[in-house]
Amino acid sequence: MGSNDFVTLFFLVAAVLIFLQLRSVLGRRTGNEKPPVDPFARSTSNPAGSTEEDKVVTLAKRDDAEPENRYAAIDAFAAPETALNTQLRQIADVDPSFSPKEFLKGARIAYEMIVMAFAAGDRKTLKGLLSRDVFEGFDAAITERERRGELLKSTFVGIDRADIVSASVKDNEELLTVKIISQLISATYDKNGELIDGDAENVGEVNDIWTFARDIRSRDPNWKLIATESEQ
């Protein structure tokens, strides 16, 4: 055997040995490996004996060793040991991803969308943001306005303040009540174009108390407006 053949054989044997060592250390993929675990994923398993009708989507529970992390966003938002802090912690217990600051950002956006959609008679937008009962009330008001031939013109100036005033969990729903102080130019005209309500030039302050809800069993992360109240 020539020297070149010996060298080639040596490297071949070495390569085989290295391959076998790597195989034993790293293991083999068989196609049956479990995917990485997401501790915040929503469970969609169907226990034995359950039916399609009684399947619910539940939020995965965080580890008992993580209460401080779970409540960090709550404590930064509302002082510990206050009534609001306790209520928001109840929300975090059933919805670990809940953030009061992020919720308020969404509530501000939803408020403007709802106010402007109502003024424009945009039922499609309203239907996606309101509960059935609230939508029916808004729809009835729009229908009456249309019947009279009235026109509502609104200019949304902005929101001065938006504060969570209470929170609770009831009947599988997260409920948050928000006080919103906004600036709005609003004027209603009759069918002849005459101003019958509001002011077309001056900005008015509007104080609303709105309650939003979300089903904690649902995959849908969006909240819906379920109650409205105007504060004089």
Side-chain angles (χ1 to χ4, degrees):
M1 178 182 293
S3 59
N4 289 337
D5 292 336
F6 177 78
V7 171
T8 301
L9 179 61
F10 173 80
F11 281 112
L12 179 62
V13 171
V16 170
L17 290 174
I18 291 172
F19 171 76
L20 292 175
Q21 286 179 329
L22 286 173
R23 184 185 178 97
S24 64
V25 172
L26 300 178
R28 293 173 294 172
R29 295 188 65 84
T30 65
N32 296 319
E33 293 83 2
K34 293 183 179 180
V37 175
D38 180 356
F40 306 112
R42 296 168 187 242
S43 172
T44 56
S45 60
N46 187 17
S50 66
T51 64
E52 282 297 314
E53 288 74 20
D54 61 16
K55 264 198 304 190
V56 296
V57 180
T58 57
L59 289 168
K61 294 184 180 296
R62 291 194 180 196
D63 201 80
D64 290 339
E66 298 181 349
E68 292 183 2
N69 293 335
R70 185 189 317 172
Y71 300 139
I74 306 299
D75 292 345
F77 182 83
E81 299 184 7
T82 61
L84 182 59
N85 182 280
T86 301
Q87 293 167 3
L88 292 175
R89 284 184 175 220
Q90 292 175 354
I91 299 292
D93 286 339
V94 298
D95 185 356
S97 65
F98 173 74
S99 164
K101 286 187 177 181
E102 291 302 315
F103 168 80
L104 278 180
K105 287 181 183 179
R108 284 171 170 263
I109 294 170
Y111 181 86
E112 180 177 355
M113 290 178 65
I114 291 168
V115 168
M116 298 311 295
F118 175 72
D122 183 356
R123 292 176 172 85
K124 183 178 180 180
T125 296
L126 291 173
K127 199 166 188 177
L129 296 169
L130 312 178
S131 69
R132 187 186 330 184
D133 290 344
V134 175
F135 174 76
E136 288 176 354
F138 277 48
D139 179 53
I142 293 171
T143 299
E144 180 61 20
R145 193 171 70 213
E146 292 171 340
R147 186 187 67 80
R148 294 178 180 176
E150 295 174 353
L151 177 64
L152 173 59
K153 292 186 178 180
S154 292
T155 301
F156 191 85
V157 178
I159 294 176
D160 288 342
R161 288 192 58 126
D163 299 306
I164 299 174
V165 295
S166 66
S168 63
V169 178
K170 182 179 180 182
D171 297 333
N172 293 315
E173 279 192 321
E174 304 169 63
L175 303 169
L176 281 102
T177 299
V178 183
K179 180 177 180 179
I180 300 173
I181 302 175
S182 64
Q183 301 293 328
L184 188 71
I185 300 174
S186 181
T188 303
Y189 300 86
D190 65 16
K191 60 183 178 181
N192 298 316
E194 296 293 328
L195 179 67
I196 59 175
D197 190 34
D199 192 319
E201 297 180 357
N202 295 318
V203 177
E205 181 178 284
V206 181
N207 291 266
D208 284 317
I209 298 176
W210 285 13
T211 300
F212 295 87
R214 194 187 79 82
D215 189 333
I216 61 178
R217 301 166 301 177
S218 174
R219 294 176 183 272
D220 187 354
N222 295 319
W223 297 70
K224 289 195 174 185
L225 179 64
I226 65 165
T228 64
E229 179 184 347
S230 293
E231 188 177 67
Q232 301 300 327

